Amino acid sequence: MSDQTNTTSDRRRVVIVGAGVAGVQTAVALREQGWTGAISLLGAEPHQPYDRPPLSKAVLLGKSEGSAFEVDFDSLGIDLRLGREVTGLRPAERVLDTADGPEPYDRLVIATGAEPVVLPGSEGIPGIHLLRTLDDAVRLRPVLADQHDIVVVGAGWIGAEFATAAREAGCKVTVVEAADRPLAGALPAEVAAHMAGWYADCGAELLTGARVVSLSEGSVLLDDGTRLTAGAVVVGIGARPATGWLAGTGIELAPDRSVVTDERLRTSLPDVYAVGDCASFPSARYAERLLVHHWDNALQGPRTVAANIARGEAEGPLYDPVPYFWSEQFGRFVQYAGHHAAADELLWRGDPGTAAWSVCWLREGVLVALLAVGRPRDLAQGRKLIERGARLDQRQAADPSVPLKSATV
């Protein structure tokens, strides 16, 4: 890095809104990239910045008190301000509005993440819970410890993970899903159908095609007239980008409420970037805009943002990752890499009735996505093949005894 770049960054201040993994990693990556200017990291919660995956596992079950990041913000010269909620943005003045007064910036990074979708009519009813924050996990911990009967609304990733933890704690669990299968928004019916039995295997009851009509303290009414009693109700029906505070600021938002970014994670406003769960980006690999609500995206994106800020956009990298996530549920380790569409060809590796199997998605013979259940080697090899744009020999790829890396054309 040249002295001129150092001098320029010395005079400039980066403000990062959001102290989750994307915000923290952006601040750290800026220092790693040689940024010598001021960095302010604003977090709405009062807690030290923490990682979210343990919330539905160790923290929820009382095996860990928290999951704070091991980052020495002081030694890195990062001005961490907790309990500082940002309420607005005035881009013409380069100022953020907060409850504690205005906050000027030279470069701005939006990393406000996502917020859970609230079930209509559930607000203010005792015993109704979400699971997104550390406070949510702490409130749910005694519910599990006391082994309450629990109704989970939503059989997505978070619903399955919570149901797993609740069963481990000895709770009676009923999961209610409006769709005809679990993970309906993520996986096709022929794949998700094989996961429905996991609930019964774990001792949880799964009700599909069941819509919640109303909630009251201690009970859930379904559209077929069934009333479920519940010591607690946990709602896990999805999350949306936490971008409401950007309304009227002139920043471009997509129909899904994500901040629209370009291939360098720049927004429609000058010197403003967005990263993590709140931002969508154009993928050249998949020829569409992606909104990825997973930990790995919040880890990778900050490196791109930091490099573009620190090096200058003419030298900075483009962002087009192979999306990746994992889930631990019902005694199974589930991993997914890539991105598939309904038109992509589905190829099985192994028997989905067993403990270990995989599914590949092919587009004109090219591997574009892979789901691995208990087959981490398939995932590791498949992820590299997706990055390469590799073609598969379908006969060999369908044989689970053949390493996936050996099934290329």
Side-chain angles (χ1 to χ4, degrees):
M1 182 176 294
S2 69
D3 290 339
Q4 183 178 0
T5 305
N6 275 329
T7 302
T8 300
S9 71
D10 279 337
R11 295 197 305 265
R12 296 190 182 275
R13 179 166 179 258
V14 176
V15 176
I16 303 166
V17 184
V21 61
V24 169
Q25 291 299 324
T26 299
V28 172
L30 278 165
R31 291 300 187 221
E32 292 175 344
Q33 291 287 340
W35 180 263
T36 56
I39 301 174
S40 291
L41 179 61
L42 311 183
E45 294 184 55
H47 310 291
Q48 282 293 118
Y50 59 88
D51 210 2
R52 294 190 188 281
L55 297 185
S56 61
K57 306 172 185 71
V59 175
L60 186 62
L61 290 169
K63 297 177 180 179
S64 173
E65 288 306 309
S67 54
F69 294 116
E70 294 183 0
V71 176
D72 189 337
F73 295 100
D74 289 338
S75 69
L76 290 171
I78 296 169
D79 178 23
L80 175 62
R81 304 187 193 179
L82 302 175
R84 196 172 179 90
E85 185 174 1
V86 176
T87 57
L89 167 63
R90 289 177 276 157
E93 303 167 56
R94 294 185 180 240
V95 168
L96 291 164
D97 292 317
T98 80
D100 298 311
E103 192 77 38
Y105 67 87
D106 294 299
R107 300 284 189 274
L108 175 64
V109 181
I110 299 169
T112 44
E115 55 195 7
V117 176
V118 177
L119 194 65
S122 65
E123 298 91 335
I125 299 176
I128 310 297
H129 299 266
L130 300 169
L131 180 52
R132 181 73 184 181
T133 69
L134 178 59
D135 288 338
D136 292 336
V138 170
R139 279 191 289 267
L140 276 165
R141 189 185 292 174
V143 173
L144 268 61
D146 293 342
Q147 298 186 334
H148 285 282
D149 291 357
I150 296 174
V151 172
V152 180
V153 182
W157 300 112
I158 191 66
E161 290 183 2
F162 178 81
T164 300
R167 285 298 300 139
E168 184 177 335
C171 300
K172 178 184 176 183
V173 178
T174 303
V175 181
V176 177
E177 171 55 53
D180 62 353
R181 62 189 188 276
L183 296 168
L187 298 173
E190 59 265 46
V191 177
H194 295 285
M195 298 172 161
W198 295 358
Y199 288 78
D201 292 345
C202 188
E205 183 178 9
L206 173 64
L207 304 178
T208 57
R211 293 185 177 275
V212 175
V213 174
S214 66
L215 297 170
S216 58
E217 185 175 1
S219 72
V220 178
L221 179 63
L222 304 181
D223 57 356
D224 65 355
T226 301
R227 186 175 292 277
L228 303 172
T229 58
V233 177
V234 177
V235 178
I237 55 175
R240 297 192 183 112
T243 55
W245 64 281
L246 292 167
T249 63
I251 198 168
E252 183 181 359
L253 300 180
D256 58 17
R257 293 173 43 175
S258 65
V259 179
V260 173
T261 71
D262 67 6
E263 67 280 358
R264 285 190 166 90
L265 299 180
R266 298 174 295 194
T267 73
S268 59
L269 298 177
D271 297 323
V272 179
Y273 299 75
V275 66
D277 291 3
C278 68
S280 59
F281 58 90
S283 171
R285 188 189 312 275
Y286 294 106
E288 63 179 286
R289 178 168 290 277
L290 300 182
L291 173 61
V292 180
H293 278 184
H294 295 296
W295 183 89
D296 190 66
N297 177 56
L299 185 68
Q300 291 196 63
R303 299 168 189 156
T304 297
V305 169
N308 278 290
I309 292 175
R311 298 183 203 168
E313 292 162 357
E315 303 176 24
L318 307 182
Y319 191 60
D320 194 8
V322 173
Y324 166 76
F325 72 88
W326 78 97
S327 176
E328 295 178 89
Q329 51 183 268
F330 309 118
R332 294 167 173 85
F333 187 45
V334 183
Q335 296 172 283
Y336 178 94
H339 174 71
H340 70 270
D344 295 329
E345 184 179 359
L346 194 149
L347 178 72
W348 290 93
R349 278 174 61 80
D351 180 357
T354 64
W357 48 275
S358 297
V359 178
C360 300
W361 283 268
L362 306 178
R363 189 173 300 175
E364 297 180 355
V366 175
L367 181 65
V368 295
L370 182 137
L371 174 77
V373 178
R375 290 181 66 95
R377 184 173 297 178
D378 274 5
L379 191 287
Q381 294 180 8
R383 191 176 184 182
K384 293 177 181 177
L385 295 177
I386 295 169
E387 289 174 350
R388 283 170 34 198
R391 291 181 176 276
L392 294 186
D393 179 303
Q394 294 198 29
R395 182 184 60 80
Q396 285 190 309
D399 184 347
S401 68
V402 175
L404 203 54
K405 65 181 180 181
S406 301
T408 57
V409 176

